[in-house]
Amino acid sequence: MEVDIESKCIQKGVRLTEQRKLIAKVMSESESHPDVAELHKKVGKFDSKISIATIYRTVKLFEEAGIVSKHDFKGSKSRYEQAPEEHHDHLIDINSGEITEFVNEEIEKLQKQVAEKLGYKLVDHRLELYGSKIKK
Amino acid sequence: MEVDIESKCIQKGVRLTEQRKLIAKVMSESESHPDVAELHKKVGKFDSKISIATIYRTVKLFEEAGIVSKHDFKGSKSRYEQAPEEHHDHLIDINSGEITEFVNEEIEKLQKQVAEKLGYKLVDHRLELYGSKIKK
DNA sequence: ATAATTGCAAATGCTTTGCTTGTGA
DNA sequence: TCACAAGCAAAGCATTTGCAATTAT
């Protein structure tokens, strides 16, 4: 079970406001990877006064606190997801935009090896697969 | 040996203007992965009248013709490189911004396998490693 | 109490576009 | 010649920021 975002804020010393609680709730309940506009829209159902600037400030704050992760997939706006317990990468359906998460230890290992062979310590990486559904 | 961008334009039926020739030349001679502002600056040494809008229009045109590739590395502007004969990925030095190209067939193969296992045909991918130099 | 946060609108930074003039095939 | 390209400035879009009013601790 994932610890909810609100708990993580407390744990990280992030001050909780009504707006932040609401954004946290909406993000926790998103099964997808919403962008700022989508978050603003969803949050707006509960608090129509909330400003888009607050959404921007909050996702940035959460990201800097390690509570959410930001992704910039090809050809779309920044998307956010609750920071996962263990790392995963993404496969994006080029037709529907649907996002599937996956983990592949073998690739992870090879990436580290490649970096080391080139004289680098691997600090971060980005792996995204873009594909189209195979119809059975 | 790489065929120069100007030849590729002719080959692809892309009309050559003085500006495009100049941008092609500057890109061919860039050993790095320049962004639009850098291209504009370099090109400006030979033609100070050239507009940044022309740079934007030209890199987009070249990209759509498959002559150059565009990259959006984390935290920086779009960068361009002459489209390579054979695919490669990038390792970015998080301190200096230096970009190293690499190829790893094993990772390529695994990516395709991952996509297929998830029911997708792999159409495109993005793999970027971010690291810091190991001092010897 | 008071330092931090919000909402709003203005500003930013990169990129695109409308329009008139210039030009390559 | 004449469809297409360039230059310029204005517009677009996502994101950030300054500031006065509000709020959490």
Side-chain angles (χ1 to χ4, degrees), chain A residues 72 74 93 104 106 110 119-121 123-128 130-132 134, chain B residues 72 74 93 106 110 114 119-121 123-128 130-132 134:
Chain A
D72 291 285
K74 287 190 184 187
D93 186 315
N104 187 294
E106 189 67 12
L110 287 165
Y120 283 85
K121 179 178 185 311
V123 171
D124 190 11
H125 79 262
R126 174 145 85 171
L127 172 61
E128 294 156 14
Y130 297 85
S132 58
I134 296 166
Chain B
D72 291 285
K74 286 189 183 188
D93 186 315
E106 189 65 13
L110 287 165
V114 167
Y120 283 85
K121 180 178 183 310
V123 171
D124 190 12
H125 79 262
R126 172 146 86 172
L127 173 60
E128 295 156 12
Y130 297 85
S132 59
I134 296 165

PDB file of all heavy atoms in Angstrom, chain A residues 72 74 93 104 106 110 119-121 123-128 130-132 134, chain B residues 72 74 93 106 110 114 119-121 123-128 130-132 134:
ATOM      1  N   ASP A  72       8.163  14.453 -18.678  1.00  0.00           N
ATOM      2  CA  ASP A  72       7.926  15.207 -19.913  1.00  0.00           C
ATOM      3  C   ASP A  72       8.010  14.259 -21.081  1.00  0.00           C
ATOM      4  O   ASP A  72       9.052  14.151 -21.720  1.00  0.00           O
ATOM      5  CB  ASP A  72       8.963  16.324 -20.050  1.00  0.00           C
ATOM      6  CG  ASP A  72       8.753  17.409 -19.015  1.00  0.00           C
ATOM      7  OD1 ASP A  72       7.806  18.194 -19.170  1.00  0.00           O
ATOM      8  OD2 ASP A  72       9.519  17.442 -18.038  1.00  0.00           O
ATOM      9  N   LYS A  74       7.341  12.768 -24.811  1.00  0.00           N
ATOM     10  CA  LYS A  74       7.418  13.430 -26.115  1.00  0.00           C
ATOM     11  C   LYS A  74       6.086  14.028 -26.528  1.00  0.00           C
ATOM     12  O   LYS A  74       5.057  13.367 -26.481  1.00  0.00           O
ATOM     13  CB  LYS A  74       7.842  12.430 -27.201  1.00  0.00           C
ATOM     14  CG  LYS A  74       9.294  12.034 -27.134  1.00  0.00           C
ATOM     15  CD  LYS A  74       9.679  11.246 -28.394  1.00  0.00           C
ATOM     16  CE  LYS A  74      11.118  10.759 -28.302  1.00  0.00           C
ATOM     17  NZ  LYS A  74      11.589  10.139 -29.568  1.00  0.00           N
ATOM     18  N   ASP A  93       1.388   4.693 -25.178  1.00  0.00           N
ATOM     19  CA  ASP A  93       0.647   4.299 -26.371  1.00  0.00           C
ATOM     20  C   ASP A  93       0.561   5.523 -27.280  1.00  0.00           C
ATOM     21  O   ASP A  93      -0.040   6.529 -26.922  1.00  0.00           O
ATOM     22  CB  ASP A  93      -0.759   3.844 -25.965  1.00  0.00           C
ATOM     23  CG  ASP A  93      -1.550   3.285 -27.137  1.00  0.00           C
ATOM     24  OD1 ASP A  93      -1.530   3.902 -28.227  1.00  0.00           O
ATOM     25  OD2 ASP A  93      -2.198   2.236 -26.968  1.00  0.00           O
ATOM     26  N   ASN A 104      12.346  -3.272 -15.523  1.00  0.00           N
ATOM     27  CA  ASN A 104      13.189  -4.302 -16.114  1.00  0.00           C
ATOM     28  C   ASN A 104      14.592  -4.184 -15.539  1.00  0.00           C
ATOM     29  O   ASN A 104      15.362  -3.312 -15.924  1.00  0.00           O
ATOM     30  CB  ASN A 104      13.208  -4.167 -17.639  1.00  0.00           C
ATOM     31  CG  ASN A 104      13.946  -5.329 -18.290  1.00  0.00           C
ATOM     32  OD1 ASN A 104      15.156  -5.478 -18.121  1.00  0.00           O
ATOM     33  ND2 ASN A 104      13.231  -6.165 -19.015  1.00  0.00           N
ATOM     34  N   GLU A 106      17.181  -5.962 -15.847  1.00  0.00           N
ATOM     35  CA  GLU A 106      18.271  -6.191 -16.789  1.00  0.00           C
ATOM     36  C   GLU A 106      18.680  -4.886 -17.478  1.00  0.00           C
ATOM     37  O   GLU A 106      19.862  -4.555 -17.571  1.00  0.00           O
ATOM     38  CB  GLU A 106      17.808  -7.229 -17.825  1.00  0.00           C
ATOM     39  CG  GLU A 106      18.890  -7.733 -18.755  1.00  0.00           C
ATOM     40  CD  GLU A 106      19.965  -8.551 -18.046  1.00  0.00           C
ATOM     41  OE1 GLU A 106      19.757  -8.925 -16.873  1.00  0.00           O
ATOM     42  OE2 GLU A 106      21.028  -8.771 -18.658  1.00  0.00           O
ATOM     43  N   LEU A 110      22.252  -2.773 -17.218  1.00  0.00           N
ATOM     44  CA  LEU A 110      23.022  -2.422 -18.419  1.00  0.00           C
ATOM     45  C   LEU A 110      23.271  -0.920 -18.511  1.00  0.00           C
ATOM     46  O   LEU A 110      24.331  -0.481 -18.943  1.00  0.00           O
ATOM     47  CB  LEU A 110      22.294  -2.917 -19.671  1.00  0.00           C
ATOM     48  CG  LEU A 110      22.340  -4.437 -19.888  1.00  0.00           C
ATOM     49  CD1 LEU A 110      21.305  -4.864 -20.927  1.00  0.00           C
ATOM     50  CD2 LEU A 110      23.741  -4.863 -20.335  1.00  0.00           C
ATOM     51  N   GLY A 119      32.950   6.170 -18.235  1.00  0.00           N
ATOM     52  CA  GLY A 119      33.621   6.983 -17.214  1.00  0.00           C
ATOM     53  C   GLY A 119      32.690   7.828 -16.365  1.00  0.00           C
ATOM     54  O   GLY A 119      33.095   8.847 -15.805  1.00  0.00           O
ATOM     55  N   TYR A 120      31.437   7.401 -16.277  1.00  0.00           N
ATOM     56  CA  TYR A 120      30.466   8.181 -15.514  1.00  0.00           C
ATOM     57  C   TYR A 120      29.805   7.356 -14.410  1.00  0.00           C
ATOM     58  O   TYR A 120      29.645   6.145 -14.543  1.00  0.00           O
ATOM     59  CB  TYR A 120      29.351   8.689 -16.434  1.00  0.00           C
ATOM     60  CG  TYR A 120      29.764   9.863 -17.274  1.00  0.00           C
ATOM     61  CD1 TYR A 120      30.424   9.682 -18.482  1.00  0.00           C
ATOM     62  CD2 TYR A 120      29.500  11.169 -16.851  1.00  0.00           C
ATOM     63  CE1 TYR A 120      30.813  10.772 -19.265  1.00  0.00           C
ATOM     64  CE2 TYR A 120      29.877  12.257 -17.613  1.00  0.00           C
ATOM     65  CZ  TYR A 120      30.534  12.049 -18.816  1.00  0.00           C
ATOM     66  OH  TYR A 120      30.905  13.131 -19.577  1.00  0.00           O
ATOM     67  N   LYS A 121      29.405   8.052 -13.378  1.00  0.00           N
ATOM     68  CA  LYS A 121      28.579   7.460 -12.346  1.00  0.00           C
ATOM     69  C   LYS A 121      27.145   7.783 -12.759  1.00  0.00           C
ATOM     70  O   LYS A 121      26.820   8.959 -12.957  1.00  0.00           O
ATOM     71  CB  LYS A 121      28.903   8.112 -10.997  1.00  0.00           C
ATOM     72  CG  LYS A 121      28.081   7.584  -9.844  1.00  0.00           C
ATOM     73  CD  LYS A 121      28.510   8.272  -8.540  1.00  0.00           C
ATOM     74  CE  LYS A 121      27.788   7.683  -7.340  1.00  0.00           C
ATOM     75  NZ  LYS A 121      26.321   7.577  -7.520  1.00  0.00           N
ATOM     76  N   VAL A 123      23.582   8.805 -12.406  1.00  0.00           N
ATOM     77  CA  VAL A 123      22.879   9.548 -11.370  1.00  0.00           C
ATOM     78  C   VAL A 123      21.363   9.498 -11.592  1.00  0.00           C
ATOM     79  O   VAL A 123      20.577   9.447 -10.665  1.00  0.00           O
ATOM     80  CB  VAL A 123      23.343  11.021 -11.367  1.00  0.00           C
ATOM     81  CG1 VAL A 123      22.479  11.864 -10.457  1.00  0.00           C
ATOM     82  CG2 VAL A 123      24.815  11.100 -10.954  1.00  0.00           C
ATOM     83  N   ASP A 124      20.984   9.472 -12.843  1.00  0.00           N
ATOM     84  CA  ASP A 124      19.572   9.508 -13.190  1.00  0.00           C
ATOM     85  C   ASP A 124      19.435   8.958 -14.608  1.00  0.00           C
ATOM     86  O   ASP A 124      20.426   8.864 -15.333  1.00  0.00           O
ATOM     87  CB  ASP A 124      19.091  10.969 -13.149  1.00  0.00           C
ATOM     88  CG  ASP A 124      17.577  11.082 -13.254  1.00  0.00           C
ATOM     89  OD1 ASP A 124      16.880  10.062 -13.146  1.00  0.00           O
ATOM     90  OD2 ASP A 124      17.102  12.224 -13.465  1.00  0.00           O
ATOM     91  N   HIS A 125      18.237   8.606 -14.959  1.00  0.00           N
ATOM     92  CA  HIS A 125      18.043   8.203 -16.351  1.00  0.00           C
ATOM     93  C   HIS A 125      16.604   8.415 -16.754  1.00  0.00           C
ATOM     94  O   HIS A 125      15.740   8.667 -15.918  1.00  0.00           O
ATOM     95  CB  HIS A 125      18.444   6.738 -16.557  1.00  0.00           C
ATOM     96  CG  HIS A 125      17.420   5.757 -16.100  1.00  0.00           C
ATOM     97  ND1 HIS A 125      17.470   5.121 -14.889  1.00  0.00           N
ATOM     98  CD2 HIS A 125      16.288   5.325 -16.697  1.00  0.00           C
ATOM     99  CE1 HIS A 125      16.416   4.339 -14.758  1.00  0.00           C
ATOM    100  NE2 HIS A 125      15.680   4.444 -15.828  1.00  0.00           N
ATOM    101  N   ARG A 126      16.389   8.336 -18.028  1.00  0.00           N
ATOM    102  CA  ARG A 126      15.047   8.461 -18.572  1.00  0.00           C
ATOM    103  C   ARG A 126      14.894   7.396 -19.635  1.00  0.00           C
ATOM    104  O   ARG A 126      15.689   7.339 -20.576  1.00  0.00           O
ATOM    105  CB  ARG A 126      14.894   9.852 -19.172  1.00  0.00           C
ATOM    106  CG  ARG A 126      13.618  10.074 -19.902  1.00  0.00           C
ATOM    107  CD  ARG A 126      13.142  11.506 -19.720  1.00  0.00           C
ATOM    108  NE  ARG A 126      13.761  12.408 -20.693  1.00  0.00           N
ATOM    109  CZ  ARG A 126      13.387  13.681 -20.852  1.00  0.00           C
ATOM    110  NH1 ARG A 126      12.420  14.194 -20.104  1.00  0.00           N
ATOM    111  NH2 ARG A 126      13.965  14.431 -21.729  1.00  0.00           N
ATOM    112  N   LEU A 127      13.925   6.540 -19.452  1.00  0.00           N
ATOM    113  CA  LEU A 127      13.646   5.509 -20.449  1.00  0.00           C
ATOM    114  C   LEU A 127      12.156   5.507 -20.737  1.00  0.00           C
ATOM    115  O   LEU A 127      11.340   5.291 -19.847  1.00  0.00           O
ATOM    116  CB  LEU A 127      14.079   4.125 -19.947  1.00  0.00           C
ATOM    117  CG  LEU A 127      13.662   2.947 -20.839  1.00  0.00           C
ATOM    118  CD1 LEU A 127      14.257   3.051 -22.237  1.00  0.00           C
ATOM    119  CD2 LEU A 127      14.071   1.620 -20.215  1.00  0.00           C
ATOM    120  N   GLU A 128      11.831   5.791 -21.979  1.00  0.00           N
ATOM    121  CA  GLU A 128      10.429   5.795 -22.380  1.00  0.00           C
ATOM    122  C   GLU A 128      10.285   4.991 -23.669  1.00  0.00           C
ATOM    123  O   GLU A 128      11.054   5.185 -24.601  1.00  0.00           O
ATOM    124  CB  GLU A 128       9.957   7.237 -22.623  1.00  0.00           C
ATOM    125  CG  GLU A 128       9.946   8.069 -21.351  1.00  0.00           C
ATOM    126  CD  GLU A 128      10.061   9.568 -21.612  1.00  0.00           C
ATOM    127  OE1 GLU A 128       9.897  10.001 -22.766  1.00  0.00           O
ATOM    128  OE2 GLU A 128      10.337  10.304 -20.657  1.00  0.00           O
ATOM    129  N   TYR A 130       7.715   4.067 -26.789  1.00  0.00           N
ATOM    130  CA  TYR A 130       6.521   4.547 -27.477  1.00  0.00           C
ATOM    131  C   TYR A 130       6.081   3.446 -28.422  1.00  0.00           C
ATOM    132  O   TYR A 130       6.889   2.984 -29.240  1.00  0.00           O
ATOM    133  CB  TYR A 130       6.830   5.836 -28.244  1.00  0.00           C
ATOM    134  CG  TYR A 130       7.239   6.957 -27.314  1.00  0.00           C
ATOM    135  CD1 TYR A 130       8.558   7.091 -26.887  1.00  0.00           C
ATOM    136  CD2 TYR A 130       6.289   7.848 -26.820  1.00  0.00           C
ATOM    137  CE1 TYR A 130       8.925   8.097 -25.992  1.00  0.00           C
ATOM    138  CE2 TYR A 130       6.642   8.853 -25.936  1.00  0.00           C
ATOM    139  CZ  TYR A 130       7.963   8.973 -25.525  1.00  0.00           C
ATOM    140  OH  TYR A 130       8.322   9.957 -24.641  1.00  0.00           O
ATOM    141  N   GLY A 131       4.850   3.009 -28.284  1.00  0.00           N
ATOM    142  CA  GLY A 131       4.419   1.891 -29.113  1.00  0.00           C
ATOM    143  C   GLY A 131       2.952   1.938 -29.453  1.00  0.00           C
ATOM    144  O   GLY A 131       2.203   2.780 -28.962  1.00  0.00           O
ATOM    145  N   SER A 132       2.566   1.022 -30.323  1.00  0.00           N
ATOM    146  CA  SER A 132       1.150   0.917 -30.667  1.00  0.00           C
ATOM    147  C   SER A 132       0.681  -0.487 -30.349  1.00  0.00           C
ATOM    148  O   SER A 132       1.428  -1.455 -30.513  1.00  0.00           O
ATOM    149  CB  SER A 132       0.931   1.244 -32.140  1.00  0.00           C
ATOM    150  OG  SER A 132       1.695   0.382 -32.946  1.00  0.00           O
ATOM    151  N   ILE A 134      -0.746  -4.070 -30.205  1.00  0.00           N
ATOM    152  CA  ILE A 134      -0.849  -5.162 -31.167  1.00  0.00           C
ATOM    153  C   ILE A 134      -2.235  -5.773 -30.998  1.00  0.00           C
ATOM    154  O   ILE A 134      -2.614  -6.183 -29.903  1.00  0.00           O
ATOM    155  CB  ILE A 134       0.215  -6.255 -30.894  1.00  0.00           C
ATOM    156  CG1 ILE A 134       1.612  -5.692 -31.100  1.00  0.00           C
ATOM    157  CG2 ILE A 134      -0.022  -7.460 -31.800  1.00  0.00           C
ATOM    158  CD1 ILE A 134       2.715  -6.555 -30.544  1.00  0.00           C
TER     159      ILE A 134
ATOM    160  N   ASP B  72      14.978  16.650 -26.458  1.00  0.00           N
ATOM    161  CA  ASP B  72      14.600  17.488 -25.331  1.00  0.00           C
ATOM    162  C   ASP B  72      15.124  16.853 -24.064  1.00  0.00           C
ATOM    163  O   ASP B  72      14.407  16.140 -23.370  1.00  0.00           O
ATOM    164  CB  ASP B  72      13.076  17.629 -25.265  1.00  0.00           C
ATOM    165  CG  ASP B  72      12.541  18.452 -26.415  1.00  0.00           C
ATOM    166  OD1 ASP B  72      12.702  19.681 -26.377  1.00  0.00           O
ATOM    167  OD2 ASP B  72      11.988  17.866 -27.371  1.00  0.00           O
ATOM    168  N   LYS B  74      16.459  16.605 -20.213  1.00  0.00           N
ATOM    169  CA  LYS B  74      15.902  17.179 -18.982  1.00  0.00           C
ATOM    170  C   LYS B  74      16.475  18.557 -18.689  1.00  0.00           C
ATOM    171  O   LYS B  74      17.686  18.747 -18.717  1.00  0.00           O
ATOM    172  CB  LYS B  74      16.216  16.280 -17.789  1.00  0.00           C
ATOM    173  CG  LYS B  74      15.403  15.008 -17.738  1.00  0.00           C
ATOM    174  CD  LYS B  74      15.625  14.300 -16.397  1.00  0.00           C
ATOM    175  CE  LYS B  74      14.861  12.973 -16.359  1.00  0.00           C
ATOM    176  NZ  LYS B  74      14.906  12.360 -15.010  1.00  0.00           N
ATOM    177  N   ASP B  93      26.278  14.707 -19.230  1.00  0.00           N
ATOM    178  CA  ASP B  93      27.041  15.046 -18.036  1.00  0.00           C
ATOM    179  C   ASP B  93      26.241  16.094 -17.264  1.00  0.00           C
ATOM    180  O   ASP B  93      26.027  17.208 -17.750  1.00  0.00           O
ATOM    181  CB  ASP B  93      28.403  15.602 -18.437  1.00  0.00           C
ATOM    182  CG  ASP B  93      29.310  15.853 -17.247  1.00  0.00           C
ATOM    183  OD1 ASP B  93      28.824  16.416 -16.240  1.00  0.00           O
ATOM    184  OD2 ASP B  93      30.494  15.504 -17.332  1.00  0.00           O
ATOM    185  N   GLU B 106      22.132  -4.716 -26.670  1.00  0.00           N
ATOM    186  CA  GLU B 106      21.440  -5.508 -25.664  1.00  0.00           C
ATOM    187  C   GLU B 106      20.227  -4.753 -25.103  1.00  0.00           C
ATOM    188  O   GLU B 106      19.136  -5.300 -24.997  1.00  0.00           O
ATOM    189  CB  GLU B 106      22.437  -5.839 -24.532  1.00  0.00           C
ATOM    190  CG  GLU B 106      21.939  -6.833 -23.518  1.00  0.00           C
ATOM    191  CD  GLU B 106      21.704  -8.226 -24.081  1.00  0.00           C
ATOM    192  OE1 GLU B 106      22.156  -8.497 -25.226  1.00  0.00           O
ATOM    193  OE2 GLU B 106      21.036  -9.032 -23.395  1.00  0.00           O
ATOM    194  N   LEU B 110      16.185  -5.635 -25.430  1.00  0.00           N
ATOM    195  CA  LEU B 110      15.321  -5.764 -24.251  1.00  0.00           C
ATOM    196  C   LEU B 110      14.122  -4.824 -24.312  1.00  0.00           C
ATOM    197  O   LEU B 110      13.018  -5.170 -23.897  1.00  0.00           O
ATOM    198  CB  LEU B 110      16.134  -5.499 -22.979  1.00  0.00           C
ATOM    199  CG  LEU B 110      17.099  -6.621 -22.591  1.00  0.00           C
ATOM    200  CD1 LEU B 110      18.110  -6.132 -21.560  1.00  0.00           C
ATOM    201  CD2 LEU B 110      16.334  -7.828 -22.049  1.00  0.00           C
ATOM    202  N   VAL B 114      10.310  -5.927 -23.924  1.00  0.00           N
ATOM    203  CA  VAL B 114       9.417  -5.368 -22.906  1.00  0.00           C
ATOM    204  C   VAL B 114       8.115  -4.907 -23.554  1.00  0.00           C
ATOM    205  O   VAL B 114       7.022  -5.240 -23.098  1.00  0.00           O
ATOM    206  CB  VAL B 114      10.081  -4.186 -22.173  1.00  0.00           C
ATOM    207  CG1 VAL B 114       9.058  -3.409 -21.346  1.00  0.00           C
ATOM    208  CG2 VAL B 114      11.209  -4.675 -21.269  1.00  0.00           C
ATOM    209  N   GLY B 119       2.217  -6.156 -24.974  1.00  0.00           N
ATOM    210  CA  GLY B 119       1.218  -6.125 -26.047  1.00  0.00           C
ATOM    211  C   GLY B 119       1.371  -4.977 -27.016  1.00  0.00           C
ATOM    212  O   GLY B 119       0.411  -4.566 -27.663  1.00  0.00           O
ATOM    213  N   TYR B 120       2.599  -4.443 -27.108  1.00  0.00           N
ATOM    214  CA  TYR B 120       2.827  -3.304 -27.995  1.00  0.00           C
ATOM    215  C   TYR B 120       3.920  -3.583 -29.021  1.00  0.00           C
ATOM    216  O   TYR B 120       4.868  -4.325 -28.767  1.00  0.00           O
ATOM    217  CB  TYR B 120       3.258  -2.078 -27.188  1.00  0.00           C
ATOM    218  CG  TYR B 120       2.125  -1.404 -26.463  1.00  0.00           C
ATOM    219  CD1 TYR B 120       1.719  -1.859 -25.211  1.00  0.00           C
ATOM    220  CD2 TYR B 120       1.459  -0.331 -27.040  1.00  0.00           C
ATOM    221  CE1 TYR B 120       0.670  -1.239 -24.537  1.00  0.00           C
ATOM    222  CE2 TYR B 120       0.414   0.292 -26.372  1.00  0.00           C
ATOM    223  CZ  TYR B 120       0.022  -0.159 -25.126  1.00  0.00           C
ATOM    224  OH  TYR B 120      -1.008   0.460 -24.475  1.00  0.00           O
ATOM    225  N   LYS B 121       3.785  -2.915 -30.137  1.00  0.00           N
ATOM    226  CA  LYS B 121       4.837  -2.910 -31.139  1.00  0.00           C
ATOM    227  C   LYS B 121       5.658  -1.662 -30.835  1.00  0.00           C
ATOM    228  O   LYS B 121       5.119  -0.560 -30.784  1.00  0.00           O
ATOM    229  CB  LYS B 121       4.208  -2.794 -32.527  1.00  0.00           C
ATOM    230  CG  LYS B 121       5.225  -2.772 -33.645  1.00  0.00           C
ATOM    231  CD  LYS B 121       4.525  -2.702 -35.002  1.00  0.00           C
ATOM    232  CE  LYS B 121       5.531  -2.756 -36.136  1.00  0.00           C
ATOM    233  NZ  LYS B 121       6.644  -1.792 -35.998  1.00  0.00           N
ATOM    234  N   VAL B 123       7.618   1.435 -31.431  1.00  0.00           N
ATOM    235  CA  VAL B 123       7.684   2.348 -32.569  1.00  0.00           C
ATOM    236  C   VAL B 123       8.828   3.340 -32.400  1.00  0.00           C
ATOM    237  O   VAL B 123       9.484   3.744 -33.348  1.00  0.00           O
ATOM    238  CB  VAL B 123       6.346   3.102 -32.705  1.00  0.00           C
ATOM    239  CG1 VAL B 123       6.445   4.203 -33.739  1.00  0.00           C
ATOM    240  CG2 VAL B 123       5.226   2.129 -33.061  1.00  0.00           C
ATOM    241  N   ASP B 124       9.071   3.718 -31.173  1.00  0.00           N
ATOM    242  CA  ASP B 124      10.081   4.733 -30.896  1.00  0.00           C
ATOM    243  C   ASP B 124      10.492   4.571 -29.433  1.00  0.00           C
ATOM    244  O   ASP B 124       9.791   3.923 -28.654  1.00  0.00           O
ATOM    245  CB  ASP B 124       9.447   6.119 -31.110  1.00  0.00           C
ATOM    246  CG  ASP B 124      10.476   7.234 -31.084  1.00  0.00           C
ATOM    247  OD1 ASP B 124      11.687   6.951 -31.123  1.00  0.00           O
ATOM    248  OD2 ASP B 124      10.051   8.410 -31.008  1.00  0.00           O
ATOM    249  N   HIS B 125      11.610   5.154 -29.091  1.00  0.00           N
ATOM    250  CA  HIS B 125      11.961   5.141 -27.677  1.00  0.00           C
ATOM    251  C   HIS B 125      12.864   6.314 -27.351  1.00  0.00           C
ATOM    252  O   HIS B 125      13.376   6.981 -28.240  1.00  0.00           O
ATOM    253  CB  HIS B 125      12.642   3.824 -27.296  1.00  0.00           C
ATOM    254  CG  HIS B 125      14.076   3.744 -27.687  1.00  0.00           C
ATOM    255  ND1 HIS B 125      14.514   3.114 -28.829  1.00  0.00           N
ATOM    256  CD2 HIS B 125      15.183   4.248 -27.098  1.00  0.00           C
ATOM    257  CE1 HIS B 125      15.815   3.232 -28.920  1.00  0.00           C
ATOM    258  NE2 HIS B 125      16.262   3.913 -27.888  1.00  0.00           N
ATOM    259  N   ARG B 126      13.025   6.532 -26.085  1.00  0.00           N
ATOM    260  CA  ARG B 126      13.909   7.584 -25.625  1.00  0.00           C
ATOM    261  C   ARG B 126      14.693   7.023 -24.454  1.00  0.00           C
ATOM    262  O   ARG B 126      14.101   6.549 -23.485  1.00  0.00           O
ATOM    263  CB  ARG B 126      13.064   8.776 -25.187  1.00  0.00           C
ATOM    264  CG  ARG B 126      13.834   9.866 -24.520  1.00  0.00           C
ATOM    265  CD  ARG B 126      13.230  11.214 -24.868  1.00  0.00           C
ATOM    266  NE  ARG B 126      12.141  11.578 -23.989  1.00  0.00           N
ATOM    267  CZ  ARG B 126      11.554  12.786 -24.012  1.00  0.00           C
ATOM    268  NH1 ARG B 126      11.949  13.710 -24.853  1.00  0.00           N
ATOM    269  NH2 ARG B 126      10.574  13.056 -23.199  1.00  0.00           N
ATOM    270  N   LEU B 127      15.999   7.023 -24.584  1.00  0.00           N
ATOM    271  CA  LEU B 127      16.849   6.561 -23.487  1.00  0.00           C
ATOM    272  C   LEU B 127      17.934   7.588 -23.257  1.00  0.00           C
ATOM    273  O   LEU B 127      18.718   7.882 -24.158  1.00  0.00           O
ATOM    274  CB  LEU B 127      17.479   5.206 -23.817  1.00  0.00           C
ATOM    275  CG  LEU B 127      18.529   4.720 -22.806  1.00  0.00           C
ATOM    276  CD1 LEU B 127      17.953   4.566 -21.410  1.00  0.00           C
ATOM    277  CD2 LEU B 127      19.136   3.399 -23.266  1.00  0.00           C
ATOM    278  N   GLU B 128      17.927   8.160 -22.078  1.00  0.00           N
ATOM    279  CA  GLU B 128      18.946   9.150 -21.731  1.00  0.00           C
ATOM    280  C   GLU B 128      19.534   8.798 -20.380  1.00  0.00           C
ATOM    281  O   GLU B 128      18.804   8.526 -19.431  1.00  0.00           O
ATOM    282  CB  GLU B 128      18.325  10.550 -21.672  1.00  0.00           C
ATOM    283  CG  GLU B 128      17.827  11.022 -23.033  1.00  0.00           C
ATOM    284  CD  GLU B 128      16.734  12.081 -22.936  1.00  0.00           C
ATOM    285  OE1 GLU B 128      16.513  12.610 -21.838  1.00  0.00           O
ATOM    286  OE2 GLU B 128      16.082  12.342 -23.966  1.00  0.00           O
ATOM    287  N   TYR B 130      21.939  10.162 -17.291  1.00  0.00           N
ATOM    288  CA  TYR B 130      22.467  11.396 -16.711  1.00  0.00           C
ATOM    289  C   TYR B 130      23.490  10.984 -15.669  1.00  0.00           C
ATOM    290  O   TYR B 130      23.172  10.196 -14.777  1.00  0.00           O
ATOM    291  CB  TYR B 130      21.339  12.216 -16.074  1.00  0.00           C
ATOM    292  CG  TYR B 130      20.323  12.666 -17.103  1.00  0.00           C
ATOM    293  CD1 TYR B 130      19.272  11.831 -17.494  1.00  0.00           C
ATOM    294  CD2 TYR B 130      20.456  13.899 -17.737  1.00  0.00           C
ATOM    295  CE1 TYR B 130      18.369  12.226 -18.484  1.00  0.00           C
ATOM    296  CE2 TYR B 130      19.556  14.302 -18.717  1.00  0.00           C
ATOM    297  CZ  TYR B 130      18.522  13.459 -19.088  1.00  0.00           C
ATOM    298  OH  TYR B 130      17.635  13.840 -20.060  1.00  0.00           O
ATOM    299  N   GLY B 131      24.706  11.489 -15.814  1.00  0.00           N
ATOM    300  CA  GLY B 131      25.736  11.034 -14.885  1.00  0.00           C
ATOM    301  C   GLY B 131      26.783  12.086 -14.612  1.00  0.00           C
ATOM    302  O   GLY B 131      26.798  13.154 -15.229  1.00  0.00           O
ATOM    303  N   SER B 132      27.649  11.774 -13.664  1.00  0.00           N
ATOM    304  CA  SER B 132      28.752  12.691 -13.362  1.00  0.00           C
ATOM    305  C   SER B 132      30.059  11.944 -13.552  1.00  0.00           C
ATOM    306  O   SER B 132      30.158  10.751 -13.246  1.00  0.00           O
ATOM    307  CB  SER B 132      28.632  13.234 -11.946  1.00  0.00           C
ATOM    308  OG  SER B 132      28.633  12.161 -11.026  1.00  0.00           O
ATOM    309  N   ILE B 134      33.529  10.262 -13.385  1.00  0.00           N
ATOM    310  CA  ILE B 134      34.307   9.638 -12.317  1.00  0.00           C
ATOM    311  C   ILE B 134      35.738  10.113 -12.479  1.00  0.00           C
ATOM    312  O   ILE B 134      36.340   9.969 -13.550  1.00  0.00           O
ATOM    313  CB  ILE B 134      34.266   8.094 -12.424  1.00  0.00           C
ATOM    314  CG1 ILE B 134      32.843   7.593 -12.219  1.00  0.00           C
ATOM    315  CG2 ILE B 134      35.213   7.482 -11.420  1.00  0.00           C
ATOM    316  CD1 ILE B 134      32.629   6.162 -12.651  1.00  0.00           C
TER     317      ILE B 134
END
